[in-house]
Amino acid sequence: QGGEWHECEVTGVSSDGRLCDVRYHDGDEEESGVDVASRVREPLIPLYGLCVGQWCQGKVCRISPDGDLHVDIGAEIPGVIRRSRITQDSAANVRDIVDLDAKVSVWICGVDASRQRLELTMVDGFVGGTGLSGQVPPEIERFRRYLLRNSRSLKTAQLI
């Protein structure tokens, strides 16, 4: 349905489990032969489950006219990377560095759940100082990044 996510109910599944029939809740439309693998999305991570200094991988979902990137890291909202936090060379053209739908490695540098804001950076060591809540002193950020990089599971290594 137009590339948007719609809540639905599965009404039937093929014998191999790859295709299904669904009925959408917002209009009672039905669709047959839906490829399950192409339609399933991981549950979204709530903002309160993210922390400053955490490393993530994401996909560029928008490049704004002023050069900011909007990146989907699987959180409930996309994160924003300001142009100055994409590379240490602030004069570089953003479109020469990344393309739309590119996979990128980022660090979380600010989380404000009450205002629904998530700030990211692609510059290692440039975490914090954003004016958003959740900031910690630089030495603690470095220690947190060290733990996150060396942990077997990023989800279990989150420090609060």
Side-chain angles (χ1 to χ4, degrees), residues 70-144:
H70 296 255
V71 178
D72 181 0
I73 62 168
E76 55 188 287
I77 60 169
V80 176
I81 305 176
R82 302 283 173 220
R83 183 179 179 170
S84 63
R85 293 185 175 207
I86 295 170
T87 179
Q88 291 180 341
D89 178 13
S90 59
N93 183 350
V94 174
R95 293 189 185 272
D96 291 340
I97 299 168
V98 294
D99 294 318
L100 197 60
D101 294 328
K103 290 189 179 186
V104 292
S105 295
V106 298
W107 287 266
I108 296 173
C109 58
V111 179
D112 188 340
S114 64
R115 292 172 49 200
Q116 291 288 294
R117 295 193 181 183
L118 175 60
E119 287 201 36
L120 307 171
T121 181
M122 289 173 58
V123 180
D124 187 15
F126 198 65
V127 178
T130 65
L132 297 181
S133 62
Q135 295 177 29
V136 295
E139 58 273 9
I140 294 176
E141 289 175 7
R142 283 193 294 275
F143 179 67
R144 186 178 292 170

Side-chain angles (χ1 to χ4, degrees), residues 17 48 52 60 74 79 93 96:
Y48 63 80
V52 172
V60 176
N93 183 350
D96 291 340

